[in-house]
Amino acid sequence: MSSSRRTVLKTGAASLALLAAPTIARAQATAANTLIWADDSNSDVTYDPRVTQSRHEEQVIVQVFDQLIMSDETGKLSPGLATAWEMSPDATSVRLSLRNDVKFHDGTPFNAEAVKFTMDTIADPATGSQGAVDMLGPYDKTEILGSHEVRINFKAPNAGILDTLTENELSIVSPAAVQRLGNTGFAQAPVGTGPFRFVSWERGREVVLDRNPDYAWAPTWSTVQGPSNVQRIVHRFIPNNATRVAALEAGEVHIGDILPALDTKRLADSGKFKAMIGVAAGLSFGALLNTSRGPFDDIRVRRAFMHSIDRPRLAQNLYFGIIKAAFGPLAPSTPGYWAGGEQYFPFDRALANRLLDEAGWTMGPNGIRVKNGQPLRVFFPSLLLPDVAVALQSEARRVGFDIAVENVLKQRQDELLMTNQYEMAVIRWVSNDPGVLRIPFHSSNIPEPGKFKFNWARVNDPAMDDLIAKAAQARTAAERTSLFAALQKDIMDRAIFFPIHDQVQTVAHSARVSGLRYARGNWQMRFHEARLATA
């Protein structure tokens, strides 16, 4: 939506009409006990947890919704909307007892029907789920065993489901709100059971949330068991790094998201601000290399590209030691991390040159290699971290690659990925389960026109699919760890994913703010326990 046609979407206890009142929302944002968050993006399109695959959108979702099982940032499980659970011995179902004292923000009761509705609609292709449907895995059906008891059934063993149920994407939605608003309307005015209620969304500018005065079902690890001490959250979109830093220093916002490493260090050293750095679990920040088209259809070329990059030096130059190089498809903070990936693709420019020679690519007069009259060109549409893209471009050119970087918006990126018009693309995904590897590597997730999916390497191999399935269906922790280690090794052996650096969340905040904590995965920030001291 253009800035000249902004719309504010509002809901309340009663269903309110759409109101164009951005000045009111901004005036209230300066009121006492209002916490202002500065986000590094302005491209949010949905706050429906069943649909999203965006960590930006999840920053709002984690305040508005609860999960059946809750987890703190350490990965410890605790009761959430479910008070107890029991896995079947064959890991094909989980039985959950539900709280009977919870209401959604629209006043309707949370119950077994709400759980069934959420799970069934995630699995329904009409919902258009981009993340939750993969996380839910081999879903079969949800049985209602009583008004506050369900059994979630799977078509195959799903041993990781307890951890997965803590993810934001599997948050429980209000069936009444979805039925009243439709999926599109619900995405713009979400209704959950969480510590904050949705108030308004002015696209590209800000989202306003108010505390839920009835919130009395916080997880046991929370230091605040009742409603939040913060009355209002203003989630402000400030994608420009310099502007975000300036707003924090000027006191216009209290918390800055994904600040540049040097600014994060400078602000923390000043004594006026504090810094938080979380190493996110899940996929490392890395590049998927498209194996379905040249030049990366040749494993020698993929290996040569990887050997041409000095990852530790790149991370040091870009992030001043705050962020470390990555060496495998999973971050080391992820359960099931396989350390063997640390032996793959050390920086070796001479080896990169030999591999390209063997593949028939000869150096041209302009420093770009050629084969059969065609340059060694790689089209790299980059949505994330343009500084990294430029660094990769510069390093790879030293061995004869022409990396054509195009900084794109999400709509352009999605179009290119769905129509297979790219050679490489970077990805990141926060998850506390190694099963996240299914999302970018299973053949069912190869994008196609009109269907946005995440196997951007376009690997279509029954052997890899079988290994992914066996790992997901493992019935013991030891078997699961062994199979996921084998899967990580297979990914590295194929040279289809180039780990670049750890994915971290760097946050700086006013010293007036306390009680902030990362959500599970060390990316989103929870505000329920936050306090804002008077100036």
Side-chain angles (χ1 to χ4, degrees):
M1 184 177 293
S2 67
S3 58
S4 61
R5 296 185 61 195
R6 298 190 184 103
T7 303
V8 178
L9 304 171
K10 291 202 170 191
T11 59
S15 180
L16 300 181
L18 298 180
L19 301 176
T23 54
I24 294 176
R26 288 198 294 274
Q28 290 172 330
T30 63
N33 216 15
T34 292
L35 192 63
I36 308 174
W37 163 272
D39 196 277
D40 71 314
S41 173
N42 62 358
S43 59
D44 288 9
V45 296
T46 176
Y47 295 122
D48 186 339
R50 304 169 302 161
V51 175
T52 187
Q53 49 82 32
S54 165
R55 61 101 175 166
H56 302 282
E57 293 162 357
E58 287 185 51
Q59 178 58 41
V60 172
I61 286 169
V62 75
Q63 321 304 333
V64 175
F65 292 89
D66 291 317
Q67 298 78 50
L68 290 170
I69 302 174
M70 299 291 284
S71 171
D72 65 5
E73 60 271 47
T74 71
K76 181 181 178 181
L77 304 184
S78 66
L81 294 176
T83 58
W85 50 86
E86 182 181 4
M87 285 282 293
S88 65
D90 63 358
T92 60
S93 69
V94 57
R95 183 169 182 159
L96 301 106
S97 299
L98 310 177
R99 294 190 68 117
N100 60 10
D101 58 347
V102 175
K103 288 188 177 181
F104 289 101
H105 300 151
D106 58 5
T108 59
F110 162 75
N111 53 27
E113 291 281 357
V115 175
K116 177 175 173 56
F117 176 86
T118 299
M119 300 303 162
D120 286 351
T121 54
I122 286 172
D124 184 352
T127 304
S129 176
Q130 295 187 13
V133 67
D134 285 310
M135 293 181 175
L136 194 54
Y139 178 72
D140 182 19
K141 61 183 178 180
T142 297
E143 296 178 83
I144 295 177
L145 305 179
S147 62
H148 290 85
E149 189 170 10
V150 297
R151 181 186 291 116
I152 304 175
N153 296 289
F154 302 94
K155 299 173 184 177
N158 191 1
I161 189 60
L162 297 183
D163 281 318
T164 306
L165 286 174
T166 70
E167 301 282 5
N168 294 327
E169 289 88 342
L170 298 187
S171 298
I172 305 302
V173 303
S174 163
V178 174
Q179 291 160 358
R180 183 178 72 252
L181 300 170
N183 284 338
T184 300
F186 186 83
Q188 299 170 344
V191 178
T193 63
F196 292 92
R197 302 183 297 186
F198 175 85
V199 176
S200 65
W201 175 14
E202 185 180 355
R203 286 183 183 263
R205 185 175 181 89
E206 67 183 23
V207 174
V208 177
L209 309 174
D210 277 352
R211 70 181 168 198
N212 178 2
D214 300 321
Y215 196 67
W217 43 89
T220 55
W221 42 259
S222 176
T223 60
V224 176
Q225 287 296 300
S228 176
N229 291 294
V230 172
Q231 181 176 347
R232 169 160 285 196
I233 301 293
V234 177
H235 181 109
R236 192 157 290 167
F237 302 109
I238 309 179
N240 181 270
N241 286 341
T243 305
R244 205 160 59 257
V245 171
L248 183 61
E249 293 190 282
E252 296 173 3
V253 302
H254 300 113
I255 314 166
D257 173 45
I258 299 293
L259 296 182
L262 194 58
D263 286 306
T264 301
K265 186 176 186 303
R266 175 179 61 82
L267 291 169
D269 290 345
S270 73
K272 298 179 182 179
F273 302 90
K274 296 181 179 180
M276 298 175 66
I277 300 174
V279 177
L283 297 180
S284 302
F285 179 79
L288 287 164
L289 307 185
N290 187 347
T291 62
S292 73
R293 51 189 283 166
F296 287 142
D297 56 350
D298 187 331
I299 191 172
R300 294 170 297 184
V301 178
R302 300 198 298 271
R303 290 176 57 206
F305 171 77
M306 296 183 183
H307 281 297
S308 73
I309 310 297
D310 186 346
R311 286 172 285 175
R313 184 172 63 85
L314 182 149
Q316 178 63 37
N317 289 347
L318 289 176
Y319 303 116
F320 311 98
I322 291 178
I323 299 176
K324 304 297 183 184
F327 296 97
L330 290 180
S333 54
T334 312
Y337 171 74
W338 177 63
E342 295 166 16
Q343 307 305 315
Y344 280 76
F345 308 115
F347 174 56
D348 190 333
R349 198 169 286 153
L351 177 55
N353 278 308
R354 287 199 303 273
L355 287 165
L356 291 172
D357 289 341
E358 292 172 12
W361 293 93
T362 59
M363 190 64 76
N366 61 349
I368 300 300
R369 288 178 178 264
V370 295
K371 181 179 181 180
N372 299 326
Q374 298 298 315
L376 184 54
R377 187 176 187 272
V378 172
F379 178 43
F380 178 13
S382 175
L383 175 67
L384 304 170
L385 303 181
D387 290 349
V388 173
V390 171
L392 295 177
Q393 178 188 55
S394 176
E395 288 296 297
R397 186 180 179 88
R398 293 171 180 261
V399 298
F401 280 94
D402 177 18
I403 308 292
V405 176
E406 180 184 334
N407 293 321
V408 296
L409 298 177
K410 189 175 188 304
Q411 183 177 0
R412 167 72 170 159
Q413 174 207 254
D414 293 358
E415 176 188 354
L416 293 169
L417 294 171
M418 287 189 290
T419 56
N420 198 14
Q421 299 180 67
Y422 65 98
E423 276 75 61
M424 63 183 288
V426 290
I427 191 171
R428 61 187 177 195
W429 197 292
V430 178
S431 174
N432 281 272
D433 187 89
V436 70
L437 293 172
R438 182 183 189 279
I439 294 172
F441 297 112
H442 195 278
S443 64
S444 64
N445 285 334
I446 295 174
E448 55 186 280
K451 293 185 179 179
F452 183 82
K453 297 182 180 181
F454 292 90
N455 183 345
W456 301 340
R458 294 183 173 264
V459 178
N460 188 358
D461 189 328
M464 177 168 275
D465 288 351
D466 184 58
L467 185 52
I468 291 171
K470 286 180 177 177
Q473 295 171 17
R475 299 185 184 185
T476 68
E479 181 186 10
R480 200 163 189 263
T481 297
S482 175
L483 288 168
F484 274 115
L487 177 57
Q488 292 168 74
K489 183 179 186 303
D490 190 28
I491 291 166
M492 298 305 292
D493 286 339
R494 293 171 185 262
I496 54 178
F497 179 80
F498 179 56
I500 301 172
H501 60 68
D502 289 339
Q503 185 57 55
V504 305
Q505 167 65 301
T506 52
V507 168
H509 62 86
S510 165
R512 293 175 54 204
V513 179
S514 61
L516 298 176
R517 69 188 304 164
Y518 286 116
R520 181 180 174 98
N522 295 309
W523 194 271
Q524 283 76 35
M525 189 70 64
R526 293 187 183 275
F527 296 140
H528 175 229
E529 299 169 69
R531 292 179 180 270
L532 181 63
T534 56

